[in-house]
Amino acid sequence: MPLSTGWCALGRIAGAIAIAASALVTVIGLVAQPPPGSNLEVLQLRPNFYMIAGAGGNIGFQVGMDGVVVVDSGSAAGADAVIAAIKKVTAQPIRYVINTSADPDHVGGNAKVAKAGQTLFTGNGGAGLATNFLGGGASILSVEQVLTRMSGPSGKPSPYPVDAWPTETFNQPRKYMYLNDEGIEVYHEAAAHTDGDAMVFFRRSDVIVAGDVFDTRAFPVIDVAKGGSIQGEIAALQKLVDTAIPSVPIVSREEGTLIVPGHGRICDQLDVVDYRDMVTIIRDRIRDLMKQGLTLEQVKAASPARGYTRRYGSDSGSWTTNDFVEAIYQTMGRSISEKAQ
Ligand SMILES: [Zn+2]
């Protein structure tokens, strides 16, 4: 038997085994899903910066002599595994949790992760320091709207316990800190994915944790009920593009600013440029159809997301292509009618 045939046969056998194995995984997957957070992926992006995937939304964390700054805490179910993953990297205490939105896959671990840490503000600290009141856990920082959503309207039961709530909030476009030898900028992205979005830029590490305005697996979720809008979404993507720097003029190098999306893989500036262009093209198509007087159903029927649905779209689940088109239609309509007034 010529060697090449043998290799070929071997390849076929290997292929058959692979198919059998994947079938087995599928069957096992149906029987017992591993609990969220039990198989986290921890990636070192920079000497003092890491990313955790697999516990809800992507998590970024910076380590250094001042302690650990964590961006997002993942889902509630993954919190113990996230804390263990951080402790494996460093013995330093967690000082800050910064939330990119109030979504449960980004704030679900807040209470546990903050409690596992220790506030920078030790001592008596004076009256009114919420971190002391909470027993000295890490501070939780977010845009003001995140606290509003997590605490709920007064007189009604809160969706989250008080120890999960942000202890520091801000409302201005930019909040900054200087920890672990680097400037950390937190940008408030108004009315994008929701009305409480933030992206966090670690200036020396050159990493941006983007939150759910950027999702490499799907069309961005524009949560209209929570104050999201297409114009704010595109502005947030533009802000990411403007903040990041690609590897130029030496384009062959794998360098440049790293962007951690809310979900999906690590990206560079050019990936965000492509994603922004995709969202903008679909927005423009819908705007043109609306100018022709088409109804929402007619706009959906015209498939304005064509060309992108295979990569980003979905016909089922919590965020379908039609949901995306509808969110653009609704919030575009708002800005068109506001202009007309
Ligand atoms: Zn998310």
Side-chain angles (χ1 to χ4, degrees):
M1 187 172 69
L3 193 61
S4 61
T5 316
W7 279 110
C8 192
L10 204 61
R12 273 201 298 274
I13 292 164
I17 291 169
I19 290 164
S22 74
L24 195 65
V25 167
T26 310
V27 170
I28 291 168
L30 287 172
V31 175
Q33 284 283 354
S38 64
N39 46 8
L40 298 186
E41 210 182 330
V42 181
L43 297 170
Q44 184 172 17
L45 305 183
R46 301 294 196 210
N48 69 332
F49 201 95
Y50 298 77
M51 169 187 164
I52 301 174
N58 286 329
I59 294 168
F61 68 98
Q62 175 224 37
V63 298
M65 61 189 176
D66 296 327
V68 185
V69 176
V70 186
V71 183
D72 281 337
S73 58
S75 61
D80 290 329
V82 166
I83 294 163
I86 294 170
K87 293 211 158 140
K88 226 174 175 179
V89 169
T90 176
Q92 291 281 353
I94 297 164
R95 299 299 197 180
Y96 264 95
V97 176
I98 306 174
N99 287 140
T100 61
S101 77
D103 286 6
D105 54 333
H106 297 258
V107 303
N110 271 14
K112 278 191 173 175
V113 174
K115 203 171 177 189
Q118 194 183 349
T119 176
L120 278 169
F121 311 107
T122 50
N124 290 328
L129 265 184
T131 41
N132 281 352
F133 169 71
L134 292 171
S139 305
I140 304 174
L141 173 72
S142 77
V143 173
E144 198 174 295
Q145 285 86 340
V146 173
L147 175 60
T148 310
R149 292 201 192 290
M150 291 181 73
S151 55
S154 56
K156 293 199 173 163
S158 297
Y160 289 91
V162 69
D163 53 359
W165 299 359
T167 56
E168 278 184 60
T169 63
F170 69 102
N171 224 339
Q172 66 271 35
R174 183 178 77 138
K175 161 94 181 171
Y176 52 77
M177 304 195 283
Y178 202 93
L179 288 170
N180 297 321
D181 267 336
E182 75 174 318
I184 303 169
E185 293 180 281
V186 189
Y187 298 118
H188 177 198
E189 302 308 321
H193 158 64
T194 67
D195 58 10
D197 304 320
M199 59 178 71
V200 190
F201 179 32
F202 293 82
R203 289 169 58 141
R204 194 184 296 261
S205 298
D206 204 11
V207 176
I208 308 170
V209 184
D212 276 358
V213 295
F214 184 34
D215 181 340
T216 64
R217 313 159 315 169
F219 291 126
V221 175
I222 297 169
D223 194 335
V224 180
K226 290 184 181 157
S229 76
I230 181 61
Q231 302 302 64
E233 170 63 35
I234 291 173
L237 291 172
Q238 186 60 44
K239 177 77 181 174
L240 270 179
V241 170
D242 292 343
T243 309
I245 295 176
S247 183
V248 287
I250 305 174
V251 291
S252 56
R253 285 185 189 156
E254 290 277 323
E255 288 180 357
T257 309
L258 294 176
I259 296 134
V260 177
H263 299 265
R265 62 175 178 83
I266 296 285
C267 293
D268 62 16
Q269 193 225 36
L270 295 176
D271 295 313
V272 188
V273 167
D274 284 346
Y275 195 80
R276 177 208 60 190
D277 289 350
M278 174 273 289
V279 174
T280 307
I281 287 166
I282 297 171
R283 189 272 316 261
D284 289 351
R285 286 175 181 166
I286 293 174
R287 187 173 54 191
D288 290 347
L289 294 167
M290 288 172 74
K291 280 183 183 162
Q292 293 167 32
L294 268 63
T295 64
L296 174 59
E297 289 314 311
Q298 288 169 327
V299 169
K300 282 180 185 170
S303 305
R306 64 189 174 278
Y308 300 105
T309 49
R310 272 181 69 155
R311 176 152 180 206
Y312 299 109
S314 172
D315 293 329
S316 60
S318 59
W319 187 244
T320 64
T321 302
N322 273 344
D323 291 336
F324 178 56
V325 170
E326 187 166 340
I328 296 175
Y329 185 95
Q330 281 180 1
T331 56
M332 273 301 299
R334 207 179 289 160
S335 65
I336 285 173
S337 62
E338 273 164 13
K339 267 181 200 146
Q341 278 171 6

